[in-house]
Amino acid sequence: MLTALWRGAGGMRAQQVQVDSLANDIANVNTNGYKQARVNFADLVYRPVAERGMPVDHPQAPAQPPALGAGVRVAGIVKDFSQGTLAQTGDPLNLAIQGEGFFTVIDQAGNRYLTRDGNFHRDASGNMVNASGYYLRGSDGNPLNLPPEAEKIAITPDGTITGVINGASQDLGNIYLCTVANPNGLEAVGDNLFRETAASGQVFYGMPGAPGVPIPGAPVAAGTTGPLGTLCSGYLEAANVDLAVTMTKMIVAQRAYELNSRTVRVADEMWGLANNLRR
């Protein structure tokens, strides 16, 4: 009965994490470039179940000895990096990635982050920044700067930026995309940003639509990835959260939590009956 209590409590803890994760997905349903999370569960160690006492005979041993599991635990929480729908905004500096890859942004200290949120605009100095003020990284590794006098800015699917200055069309720079060997190893740090970790592996970069190559300065200087995604100017990528599916999962998690709590209550009642036995 004590083991039933612990199993029920462990199940309640696991389903609480599931509900918290689903609630976070629902809260971010309108967050640009948000990627929903998936909670993975794993069963705990199994313990053999054997009858105690003196056997009256010697039956043949079963092919598979009976065993009971010790409950459930949260094995991990991973991001689903599937494509979100594209919403048209009409602003040429709003960018969405159609396919694989991330935008690379840097903060004032030069720290590098990855993001799928392409809601960029020009600051007072002409730098392309996101809503939090992080600089969009250009193909040369520096913040991408657009002359304040540039008009009619256009961005092609391969990341080429053009604009009109003094009546003449000019090339203003290029946007490169970045990817990693294992996107699920990235660390989410808030503000729609991800940070590279040892688990995310090799970092690659390149022109949109072209294969990625190892980023300069990386410890591994060989190999390529598949083609990076292309850019859609005037669009933003919406969260990939399906509200109908997420709400269904929320109901299932709620029912699972309820059943685990009922397990605890039944075990408590059985324990009470055993404690109140009379001769």
Side-chain angles (χ1 to χ4, degrees), residues 187-236:
E187 177 189 1
V189 296
D191 288 334
N192 297 348
L193 303 175
F194 296 95
R195 182 162 49 204
E196 304 155 23
T197 66
S200 61
Q202 178 68 52
V203 184
F204 300 89
Y205 84 122
M207 291 180 59
V213 298
I215 199 166
V220 178
T224 60
T225 64
L228 297 166
T230 56
L231 297 183
C232 297
S233 178
Y235 289 83
L236 288 175

Side-chain angles (χ1 to χ4, degrees), residues 121-270:
H121 63 276
R122 283 191 290 182
D123 63 8
S125 301
N127 297 310
M128 285 188 65
V129 297
N130 65 5
S132 300
Y134 290 80
Y135 303 112
L136 176 62
R137 188 174 182 266
S139 58
D140 59 357
N142 297 316
L144 186 58
N145 185 274
L146 304 180
E149 64 274 14
E151 301 176 344
K152 298 181 180 180
I153 294 175
I155 303 175
T156 61
D158 66 357
T160 302
I161 306 174
T162 59
V164 176
I165 300 178
N166 297 326
S169 179
Q170 296 186 20
D171 188 351
L172 304 180
N174 296 86
I175 298 174
Y176 275 19
L177 298 181
C178 188
T179 188
V180 294
N182 175 30
N184 282 321
L186 293 171
E187 177 189 1
V189 296
D191 288 334
N192 297 348
L193 303 175
F194 296 95
R195 182 162 49 204
E196 304 155 23
T197 66
S200 61
Q202 178 68 52
V203 184
F204 300 89
Y205 84 122
M207 291 180 59
V213 298
I215 199 166
V220 178
T224 60
T225 64
L228 297 166
T230 56
L231 297 183
C232 297
S233 178
Y235 289 83
L236 288 175
E237 183 183 3
N240 64 348
V241 179
D242 188 324
L243 275 179
V245 173
T246 305
M247 288 302 300
T248 302
K249 291 181 179 179
M250 178 73 78
I251 294 172
V252 173
Q254 180 184 4
R255 293 292 181 266
Y257 186 92
E258 180 182 351
L259 290 173
N260 277 283
S261 66
R262 189 171 299 176
T263 300
V264 174
R265 184 168 68 248
V266 169
D268 179 63
E269 291 173 355
M270 293 175 64

Side-chain angles (χ1 to χ4, degrees), residues 31-194:
T31 300
N32 296 326
Y34 176 79
K35 300 304 179 185
Q36 65 182 348
R38 183 178 70 252
V39 181
N40 295 326
F41 300 101
D43 52 354
L44 296 178
V45 64
Y46 281 74
R47 179 176 60 85
V49 179
E51 294 292 338
R52 303 294 182 182
M54 180 68 68
V56 296
D57 57 4
H58 298 281
Q60 183 178 358
Q64 182 65 38
L68 285 177
V72 66
R73 67 179 178 88
V74 175
I77 302 176
V78 298
K79 287 286 187 180
D80 176 10
F81 285 97
S82 61
Q83 179 79 48
T85 58
L86 304 186
Q88 187 173 10
T89 65
D91 186 343
L93 296 185
N94 288 163
L95 302 173
I97 301 174
Q98 184 71 43
E100 302 295 329
F102 299 87
F103 298 107
T104 308
V105 296
I106 52 179
D107 60 14
Q108 286 73 14
N111 298 311
R112 184 175 64 205
Y113 300 93
L114 308 182
T115 182
R116 292 281 296 194
D117 182 5
N119 185 17
F120 297 108
H121 63 276
R122 283 191 290 182
D123 63 8
S125 301
N127 297 310
M128 285 188 65
V129 297
N130 65 5
S132 300
Y134 290 80
Y135 303 112
L136 176 62
R137 188 174 182 266
S139 58
D140 59 357
N142 297 316
L144 186 58
N145 185 274
L146 304 180
E149 64 274 14
E151 301 176 344
K152 298 181 180 180
I153 294 175
I155 303 175
T156 61
D158 66 357
T160 302
I161 306 174
T162 59
V164 176
I165 300 178
N166 297 326
S169 179
Q170 296 186 20
D171 188 351
L172 304 180
N174 296 86
I175 298 174
Y176 275 19
L177 298 181
C178 188
T179 188
V180 294
N182 175 30
N184 282 321
L186 293 171
E187 177 189 1
V189 296
D191 288 334
N192 297 348
L193 303 175
F194 296 95

